[in-house]
Amino acid sequence: MKKIIFLFVLSFSITAIAQDNRIPIDSTIITTNSVVIKGKRIQYKAQTGTQPVYDKNGGIKATLFYTYYKRTDVNNSEKRPLIMSFNGGPGSASVWMHIAYTGPKILKIDDEGNPIQPYGIKDNPYSILDVADIVFVNPVNTAYSRPIVKEKKKLDKKYFFGVNADAKYLAGWLNTFITRNNRWNSPKYIIGESYGGTRVMQLAYELQNSQWMYLNGVIMVSPADYQLLRNKNSEDYAINFPYFTAAAWYHKMLPQKLQQQDLLDILPESESFAINKLLPALAKGGYVSKEEKEAVAEKMAYYSGIKKEVILRHNLEVPNRYFWKELLRDTSGKTIGRLDSRYLGIDRRETGSSPDYSPELVSWLHSFTPAINYYIQNVLKFKTDVKYNMFGSVHPWDFSNNNARENLRKSMAQNPYLNVLVQSGYYDGATTYSAAKYTIGKIDPSGKFKNRLSFKGYRSGHMMYLRKEDLEKANDDLRDFIKKSSENIGPAKY
């Protein structure tokens, strides 16, 4: 039975003004509830509200909206693992994993993740709340999080909107949160989805080296590695290619020999071809021989389901966007989804080089937007007239001096406790599973951290947890990762 325990709101001096004055700068609302997870009823409290971002002098720069779930039916709760959860964008609210993956409530959707009307929420029987407490954090301009601007001053975008700035202020905010909630003794984890992959790689380093907060784990869900993503170089085209095989297999567009095999039996073939044949050919550019180019294009067609002549017209460099448009062009004429290629779209014209829209994102916004607005106001009891930003304005985002990947390596070197888990869907065409594997290899070029780096793949897309089978499997993988990296792990030394 849900109960509201108390409401506490504290607002600060009128010389500091939120971008929307209807949002309190420092507030807490606590409700109690329970959920059955893995067949056992779990009691918990949900603490939601806003907490300030302080600068180095104690001035208030912003207020961040968060939701903190803490299990209450256990002893010595301050030593329970704590998961600090972020989504990506940049500019996305921490809504997706909150009410569809790890939290105690999830969307009412069908088993494959499609919206069901009337929209709503239900209990999550696979949540990791049985083994860890979770705080979902919304960066500035997402959800109800807003900057604080002094009178007659402008928003300092450089303080918030960039790879390094983002991690710096979030690390400080987390320090305050950990102190306020007495979690310094807890095993600590950060999880980030999509751009959140870059965010948590950099944040691990910032937490350890600026806040002296050492982690047990970094979890990246469908990570966007911007040292590879969108570079449009030979490496990028080759690394993403095995995703073509996965999407084509799903839509039954591969040759019969491949189509009659299981997906996981053919992906290693495609991965080997991409690294050992396609990448060297692309690296040669115009110096590749006609014979090699023809042979590589033939194999690309075999593993991708698109025609050899189309591949040759692209000089072997087939963009993902073109693939989404091309794969079904001559059959159904439909496009396939960017973030989850199981979804289909209908364009105005079948001609063209990229889809008109992303059918999967439209579908997700159908179900997530009403659900999160209902849940926060009616279940968590945070009342406001302010718009909940599913996506907020954070541009221009500063990608310069992006050393997130190397900084995660440094964090692992400094901290023998630190383990990394990467989770990806095979049908994700935006941040592909093969790119995620590549990132793992680049984090650890020496190969000395292999026993602390792990990858898990799922038969779905970017939000693999929207598919019921993968929701259960992915949460079980998280549960195993948390247990192995937080229990009886011995002294922190090599």
Side-chain angles (χ1 to χ4, degrees), residues 177-223:
F177 177 86
I178 294 294
T179 300
R180 283 187 176 192
N181 292 280
N182 191 28
R183 299 310 299 256
W184 278 102
N185 283 340
S186 302
K188 300 174 192 66
Y189 298 80
I190 50 177
I191 182 172
E193 181 179 79
S194 197
Y195 174 80
T198 290
R199 172 175 281 140
V200 295
M201 284 193 285
Q202 183 64 25
L203 187 55
Y205 183 81
E206 193 69 36
L207 284 170
Q208 290 188 186
N209 289 275
S210 295
Q211 305 297 330
W212 308 285
M213 186 186 298
Y214 286 76
L215 303 171
N216 288 66
V218 170
I219 303 157
M220 292 184 277
V221 179
S222 306

